[in-house]
Amino acid sequence: MKNEEEASERPDNTAFTQQQLPAWQPVLSAGIIIPGFLIIGLAFLGIGIALFLTSQTIQVLEMDYTGVEKDSPCFRCTSPSNQTCTCEVTFSLSTLFTGPVFFYYGLSNYFQNFRKYGVSKDDYQLTGDTQYFKSPRDVCFPYAHDSKNNPIVPCGAIASSMFNDTFELYQIINGTKKKVPLDGKGISWWTDYNIKYRNPLPVNGSFASAFDGTVKPINWPKAAYELDLTDPNNNGFLNQDFLVWMRRAALPQFRKLYRRITEGDYATGLPAGNYSLTVYYNYPVLSFDGRKKVVFSNVSWMGGKNDFLGIAYLVVGSLCVVMSVVMLIVYAKFKFSDDDDA
């Protein structure tokens, strides 16, 4: 009986179960390791040089407009008494800023990766489920209801803190301002616009009626259904600026895409000359020692400007080449020593 039980527990007599499959184990000899390190090092050096040189060709212009310094054009806008304030930031370009030009806003000392901040949203609301409009989820607290206990849509800390500074860019030609067209279409992630977020269905043919009985977030100047009065398709939870903001940043210093400059006389870029950026200053950052800036940049096949990536490849490649030389010297020394002893 005991022999029968042992036989039943015994694995099948196959090459797989008996671990007798053919196997290959490389022999890591000096003749393989040294050339391998050298080839990898040279490959990394080549990639690093290409990345670094490409990064140097990318143009970037950053301008801080927080208004902390008294000589800043936006200093007067930092006063709490100025509820609606406009300031003007001027700059000059000595050469063509090659297009397409990407226009970003940047924030620093802003921790969007904070856990409680990150979960403070109602995903059911953001997929257009009106059942959760009147009863927001608890994760939105304290941004679920206003002081009169009216439900907030969209609720949560992320939506409530949406960036709301706006900008207009002008080129100054012979003392007159020529407006530079800013393209805000398609600036969000495709998955956010087409899959992750959905607008509620209109009620009796009215999109605004879907939000009846709710109020806008406290810090918003307009309700979700009227974020863009010029484009009916750019409202609600599918508003491009809203989608860009809801895609949280991983680091406390970040920038988000605001617009692209790709149209009209500026399709090839921003010509050399003088420019004026009108800032509608609404977003407060001084309470948490934050900073605000605007960034103009173009891109290449490797993306935006990133010197670190090229330098990292160069460092790793150099280390591999140095290690291959060191191993060759050590191998030659001990190899020849063994031959002499023989």
Side-chain angles (χ1 to χ4, degrees):
M1 187 69 176
K2 185 176 180 180
N3 292 335
E4 291 180 0
E5 291 179 358
E6 292 178 353
S8 63
E9 295 175 357
R10 184 180 303 165
D12 297 333
N13 189 23
T14 63
F16 177 76
T17 58
Q18 297 298 333
Q19 301 182 14
Q20 294 177 348
L21 291 174
W24 176 76
Q25 182 176 359
V27 179
L28 301 179
S29 63
I32 296 177
I33 296 299
I34 295 175
F37 263 78
L38 182 60
I39 292 172
I40 293 173
L42 294 176
F44 270 60
L45 286 174
I47 297 173
I49 292 172
L51 290 173
F52 185 77
L53 293 179
T54 302
S55 180
Q56 299 305 303
T57 64
I58 298 175
Q59 298 167 283
V60 178
L61 175 63
E62 295 187 2
M63 295 175 291
D64 188 295
Y65 71 96
T66 310
V68 177
E69 298 79 10
K70 291 186 178 180
D71 58 348
S72 170
C74 295
F75 174 74
R76 59 186 178 83
C77 293
T78 59
S79 174
S81 60
N82 286 331
Q83 298 297 325
T84 57
C85 184
T86 303
C87 57
E88 189 172 299
V89 180
T90 59
F91 62 95
S92 300
L93 297 177
S94 57
T95 59
L96 171 69
F97 203 105
T98 309
V101 179
F102 293 82
F103 180 8
Y104 304 86
Y105 62 84
L107 295 173
S108 61
N109 202 36
Y110 198 115
F111 292 84
Q112 275 198 315
N113 59 353
F114 186 61
R115 186 183 65 83
K116 287 188 176 180
Y117 178 90
V119 300
S120 184
K121 62 179 180 177
D122 191 333
D123 291 321
Y124 294 104
Q125 278 190 2
L126 299 175
T127 54
D129 191 340
T130 55
Q131 175 184 348
Y132 291 87
F133 281 22
K134 301 294 181 64
S135 55
R137 297 171 63 204
D138 294 339
V139 291
C140 287
F141 180 83
Y143 302 100
H145 298 85
D146 66 1
S147 58
K148 298 180 180 179
N149 205 34
N150 295 313
I152 297 175
V153 177
C155 70
I158 308 178
S160 179
S161 61
M162 178 179 168
F163 186 82
N164 59 356
D165 283 0
T166 56
F167 310 91
E168 291 179 355
L169 181 63
Y170 299 90
Q171 183 182 11
I172 303 175
I173 304 176
N174 298 325
T176 60
K177 289 184 175 181
K178 178 183 178 181
K179 191 171 184 178
V180 179
L182 302 177
D183 179 18
K185 296 180 179 179
I187 59 175
S188 64
W189 282 33
W190 184 91
T191 51
D192 289 346
Y193 184 81
N194 292 280
I195 299 175
K196 189 174 181 180
Y197 295 88
R198 298 283 88 192
N199 274 331
L201 296 176
V203 176
N204 297 325
S206 173
F207 179 56
S209 297
F211 293 83
D212 286 348
T214 67
V215 295
K216 64 178 179 61
I218 299 172
N219 298 318
W220 285 25
K222 302 176 182 178
Y225 52 83
E226 54 183 5
L227 289 176
D228 189 349
L229 300 178
T230 62
D231 184 3
N233 296 321
N234 192 34
N235 280 306
F237 308 142
L238 295 182
N239 175 266
Q240 292 291 321
D241 292 318
F242 176 72
L243 293 175
V244 169
W245 179 255
M246 294 298 288
R247 174 66 60 172
R248 294 185 298 123
L251 300 175
Q253 182 171 338
F254 60 86
R255 65 186 190 187
K256 293 177 180 283
L257 184 60
Y258 179 73
R259 294 293 183 267
R260 284 190 294 253
I261 302 174
T262 58
E263 302 175 353
D265 297 336
Y266 304 93
T268 58
L270 295 175
N274 298 320
Y275 291 85
S276 171
L277 180 68
T278 301
V279 180
Y280 296 90
Y281 198 107
N282 302 305
Y283 202 73
V285 295
L286 297 184
S287 59
F288 56 89
D289 296 326
R291 307 282 296 196
K292 298 191 292 186
K293 65 181 179 181
V294 290
V295 181
F296 294 93
S297 176
N298 47 29
V299 297
S300 69
W301 59 269
M302 61 165 285
K305 190 176 183 67
N306 187 352
D307 291 340
F308 172 78
L309 189 60
I311 293 173
Y313 269 89
L314 290 173
V315 170
V316 174
S318 300
L319 290 175
C320 287
V321 172
V322 170
M323 287 299 299
S324 66
V325 173
V326 170
M327 287 188 291
L328 178 61
I329 293 174
V330 172
Y331 173 72
K333 178 181 178 181
F334 285 98
K335 175 69 174 178
F336 295 151
S337 297
D338 293 341
D339 292 343
D340 292 341
D341 293 341

